[in-house]
Amino acid sequence: MKTLVLKDLKYTEILSKNKVLGESLSNSPMYTISVLSNIITSQLNDILEFVIRSQAINAKVNFGDYDNIVQNSETYADSNVVIVFWELANIIDGLQYKSLTMTSEEIAALIVKVKQEIDFVFYSLSTTPLVIFNQFSTLIFNQHFLRANQFDEICNELNQYISSNLPSNFFLIPIDKLFAQVSIERSVDFRYYYSSKSLYSIEFFKCYAQFISPLILSVNGKSKKVLVLDCDNTLWKGIIGEDGLNGISLSTNDKNGIFFEEVHHLIKNLSKDGVIVCLCSKNNESDLDEIWKSRSDFTLSERDIFAKKINWQSKDKNLQELIEDLNVGADSLVFVDDSSFEISCVESNLPEVTTLQVPKLIYTYPSLFRETTSLFFKPSQTAEDKKRLEMYHYEARRKNERKKFASVDEYLSSLELKLSIHINHSDHLTRASQLTQKTNQFNLTTKRYTETEIKDLLEGGDHRIYVMEVSDKFGDYGLTGLAIIAINHTEAEIDTFLLSCRVLGRNIEINFVNFIINDLKELGINHIFANYAKTSKNMQVANFYEKNGFDILSASDSRTEYRLSLNSL
């Protein structure tokens, strides 16, 4: 699957494609996005719907009442996402020029009023899963002024106030970066602004939709996890088998290598943030080993690379093996190669894998790669993210250890597994949210939660949240299990039960669910209700509750309801 290049599509094409996508996703759960604005942004609706629907999310974008952000913040608070498009120049009509002649008292009064409105919006949307809030900007109107003026001063004070008081479920968008990408001239159309308060162009809205999409995709479990790279003409200029060890260009020591060295640092940064980096190349492995031994100017170390598929078999087959080795979905991978043949082969045989072809104009490679890193975006970093590569190395050692034992039981016993289960700990909210957004295989309901939503459940007093940490003699798996239980007097319902793929195959899930059952029994719970919601990725847990003593209440092709009576236990 090629990465979506929105700027190449005409608006009419987006409208047509969006309609088709909407029809194809009509049976999927609705994901509501509401845009609150004091200017006209109606053209953003279809563009943003199209971008999100392209990732198999049934997005519906609503547009609030024009210039009614404060009141609409209450009306649309139940949306999955709220986007606040607050244009500074339209806070009062013509502020971009009226501010230049306002008295200091008038400016102070205006700032107090806007801060109060911002506080109200913060409060009204405090329980919304995700709020995307544009920073105020004067760039459109003040780009030619050498000296800051009162319009800039208003902007700076309000932005400082927003940054200092921003709720945890809000994400600030540095809108000036978008003007830099598109250019101010192509971002706005003053003719329509002065006639109908429609300031921004379709080109700008395309850029905006693409820019914020990683935020929305990440909270829906759509962030990429694995980066797979070809080597020749992808990690360096040249072909090592033909040009030799010293004939390839991979650093600033060579004019052709500077572009690749920049990409190396971007890759290294992704690895540091928890992205699993792998190589998949048609080469002799001994040639690559020589690079690390002899080329001290190669920025990437072997420690940055988790797995290498260096052989002469087809790359789609190698990628399939990596998918199985890492126990991830094909849609978690981004594959980078310079060959159009290899890219086409992967797209044909593994269409869920996102592909990126190294551009012919090699000086554009770093910029294109920077853009691609957004596919791996996560709203927050956890300790598990930073240790992910280390954890995968531990897992490789565990697999080697497995070969020494005749049975799985003997092997599991040798691991010296240790479980630590915590109940209602606020310190674990970030990781708990991340697990709901990323876990697909061992996930009974596949519900996605933001950190704010889990915090609300915790503080509401009618939910019990269990998190599980796992370690063994090789190292720490981190926080890898989560259960969210709704309590209603003497009954409980398992809202979420999941385990990271890193700890599957160790019977840990049995210990986890038994701990929860015993804890709920001690609380005086008589019945536990649960359900399994079938997806394309979680079929391995279809019978989990049955295997653990739950009775089936009802069953359909997509959902099974269960109950466990604790009175007889």
Side-chain angles (χ1 to χ4, degrees):
M1 178 180 70
K2 285 188 177 295
T3 53
L4 179 65
V5 183
L6 196 60
K7 62 184 179 182
D8 294 339
L9 293 176
K10 297 178 181 178
Y11 185 54
T12 53
E13 292 177 302
I14 292 172
L15 293 176
S16 176
K17 291 176 180 290
N18 184 46
K19 182 179 179 181
V20 172
L21 281 172
E23 292 170 352
S24 68
L25 294 168
S26 59
N27 293 326
S28 301
M30 185 74 72
Y31 190 80
T32 57
I33 303 172
S34 298
V35 181
L36 312 185
S37 180
N38 64 339
I39 55 169
I40 300 300
T41 60
S42 53
Q43 290 168 320
L44 175 63
N45 290 21
D46 285 289
I47 295 171
L48 184 56
E49 277 184 356
F50 171 66
V51 171
I52 305 304
R53 286 174 177 176
S54 297
Q55 297 296 322
I57 299 170
N58 187 19
K60 173 62 178 175
V61 179
N62 303 308
F63 183 68
D65 300 330
Y66 168 74
D67 199 14
N68 200 22
I69 293 173
V70 175
Q71 288 82 357
N72 280 171
S73 64
E74 284 189 312
T75 306
Y76 292 95
D78 291 336
S79 305
N80 297 106
V81 180
V82 170
I83 299 171
V84 181
F85 233 101
W86 217 332
E87 181 57 45
L88 185 63
N90 213 37
I91 282 181
I92 62 171
D93 192 33
L95 182 61
Q96 74 274 17
Y97 62 88
K98 290 179 180 177
S99 61
L100 305 180
T101 55
M102 290 171 68
T103 66
S104 57
E105 290 79 9
E106 289 172 330
I107 289 175
L110 177 65
I111 289 174
V112 168
K113 174 180 177 292
V114 176
K115 285 181 178 178
Q116 290 173 343
E117 292 177 342
I118 290 170
D119 287 340
F120 189 90
V121 171
F122 283 177
Y123 176 78
S124 297
L125 299 177
S126 61
T127 60
T128 303
L130 173 63
V131 182
I132 298 172
F133 195 104
N134 296 341
Q135 285 183 318
F136 291 122
S137 173
T138 64
L139 194 59
I140 291 173
F141 299 97
N142 280 5
Q143 58 175 308
H144 300 295
F145 294 162
L146 287 171
R147 183 180 290 115
N149 58 33
Q150 292 189 134
F151 191 41
D152 293 310
E153 291 168 6
I154 294 169
C155 180
N156 293 338
E157 183 166 347
L158 291 176
N159 278 338
Q160 179 60 47
Y161 184 79
I162 291 166
S163 298
S164 300
N165 296 279
L166 197 72
S168 60
N169 60 319
F170 278 60
F171 195 96
L172 276 181
I173 299 299
I175 202 163
D176 284 353
K177 287 188 176 182
L178 300 173
F179 298 143
Q181 288 186 43
V182 182
S183 83
I184 293 175
E185 183 180 4
R186 298 202 309 273
S187 293
V188 300
D189 192 323
F190 287 120
R191 174 184 48 173
Y192 293 115
Y193 173 64
Y194 288 110
S195 65
S196 61
K197 298 301 180 184
S198 180
L199 178 60
Y200 295 108
S201 67
I202 288 173
E203 189 172 357
F204 174 84
F205 286 136
K206 288 182 190 178
C207 183
Y208 184 86
Q210 201 121 41
F211 190 76
I212 68 170
S213 64
L215 266 171
I216 299 172
L217 297 180
S218 66
V219 299
N220 282 278
K222 298 285 186 177
S223 291
K224 305 302 180 184
K225 301 176 183 177
V226 184
L227 174 65
V228 187
L229 300 131
D230 174 43
C231 292
D232 292 330
N233 291 312
T234 300
L235 286 181
W236 50 74
K237 178 69 174 177
I239 301 173
I240 190 170
E242 298 176 4
D243 300 314
L245 184 63
N246 296 316
I248 59 173
S249 303
L250 47 67
S251 73
T252 53
N253 292 338
D254 186 299
K255 66 177 183 179
N256 291 317
I258 186 171
F259 314 112
F260 295 92
E261 181 177 299
E262 185 168 341
V263 170
H264 297 162
H265 281 275
L266 294 170
I267 295 169
K268 204 173 184 74
N269 187 56
L270 287 174
S271 176
K272 182 185 70 175
D273 286 344
V275 174
I276 300 303
V277 180
C278 304
L279 302 184
C280 178
S281 182
K282 292 179 178 178
N283 282 101
N284 294 318
E285 191 163 1
S286 59
D287 289 339
L288 266 72
D289 291 339
E290 276 301 312
I291 292 178
W292 275 297
K293 290 178 183 177
S294 305
R295 290 295 298 262
S296 60
D297 58 340
F298 189 24
T299 301
L300 292 176
S301 69
E302 284 193 89
R303 186 67 184 172
D304 296 320
I305 310 299
F306 173 71
K308 293 179 283 187
K309 293 291 183 180
I310 311 299
N311 52 50
W312 299 96
Q313 71 178 6
S314 66
K315 293 191 176 181
D316 58 291
K317 184 176 180 181
N318 276 326
L319 291 179
Q320 184 60 53
E321 290 177 3
L322 279 174
I323 290 166
E324 294 168 4
D325 292 343
L326 296 172
N327 196 20
V328 297
D331 59 351
S332 297
L333 270 66
V334 175
F335 173 62
V336 186
D337 201 300
D338 68 297
S339 167
S340 57
F341 170 80
E342 300 291 1
I343 292 289
S344 178
C345 183
V346 170
E347 288 177 350
S348 297
N349 296 301
L350 290 171
E352 288 183 289
V353 173
T354 297
T355 59
L356 172 68
Q357 186 170 351
V358 179
K360 299 297 182 184
L361 299 174
I362 199 62
Y363 59 82
T364 66
Y365 186 25
S367 176
L368 181 62
F369 198 91
R370 284 179 188 277
E371 186 177 346
T372 303
T373 60
S374 67
L375 298 172
F376 299 93
F377 176 83
K378 294 185 289 289
S380 55
Q381 287 289 105
T382 65
E384 283 78 7
D385 290 325
K386 295 176 181 178
K387 296 190 296 183
R388 181 165 288 111
L389 183 58
E390 181 182 12
M391 291 176 180
Y392 271 99
H393 282 297
Y394 287 150
E395 186 60 23
R397 291 172 60 189
R398 293 182 185 101
K399 288 183 178 179
N400 288 332
E401 182 81 358
R402 170 69 182 90
K403 299 173 184 176
K404 300 177 183 178
F405 295 90
S407 72
V408 172
D409 289 340
E410 288 179 14
Y411 164 64
L412 293 177
S413 178
S414 76
L415 288 178
E416 302 171 14
L417 286 162
K418 296 178 181 178
L419 277 63
S420 297
I421 299 173
H422 311 279
I423 305 172
N424 289 355
H425 276 214
S426 59
D427 293 345
H428 299 133
L429 295 179
T430 301
R431 176 59 177 167
S433 167
Q434 190 181 78
L435 280 171
T436 69
Q437 294 164 10
K438 296 172 63 176
T439 307
N440 295 303
Q441 293 169 295
F442 201 107
N443 192 337
L444 276 297
T445 55
T446 322
K447 292 184 178 181
R448 312 296 187 188
Y449 287 108
T450 64
E451 184 176 343
T452 299
E453 288 176 305
I454 294 183
K455 181 181 179 183
D456 290 341
L457 294 178
L458 180 63
E459 294 177 348
D462 56 355
H463 283 78
R464 208 156 169 83
I465 298 175
Y466 302 80
V467 296
M468 179 177 63
E469 294 180 284
V470 181
S471 63
D472 63 18
K473 67 180 183 180
F474 289 105
D476 188 2
Y477 293 87
L479 200 159
T480 52
L482 172 70
I484 300 175
I485 315 296
I487 307 292
N488 184 13
H489 301 295
T490 59
E491 294 184 345
E493 181 178 359
I494 301 177
D495 172 276
T496 294
F497 189 90
L498 61 84
L499 269 75
S500 167
C501 61
R502 291 205 301 270
V503 295
L504 298 186
R506 292 162 175 77
N507 296 326
I508 290 171
E509 61 275 12
I510 298 173
N511 291 290
F512 192 26
V513 75
N514 284 338
F515 177 93
I516 293 169
I517 290 170
N518 290 329
D519 181 65
L520 293 175
K521 187 176 181 181
E522 289 183 10
L523 289 177
I525 298 299
N526 295 327
H527 297 96
I528 302 174
F529 295 88
N531 74 85
Y532 161 70
K534 180 181 178 181
T535 72
S536 61
K537 296 182 179 181
N538 73 350
M539 286 180 280
Q540 64 172 295
V541 295
N543 300 317
F544 174 75
Y545 286 123
E546 294 165 56
K547 291 178 180 179
N548 285 278
F550 284 70
D551 297 319
I552 297 176
L553 295 179
S554 64
S556 66
D557 290 341
S558 60
R559 184 181 176 91
T560 307
E561 303 282 347
Y562 297 92
R563 180 180 63 188
L564 177 68
S565 175
L566 302 185
N567 297 325
S568 59
L569 295 181

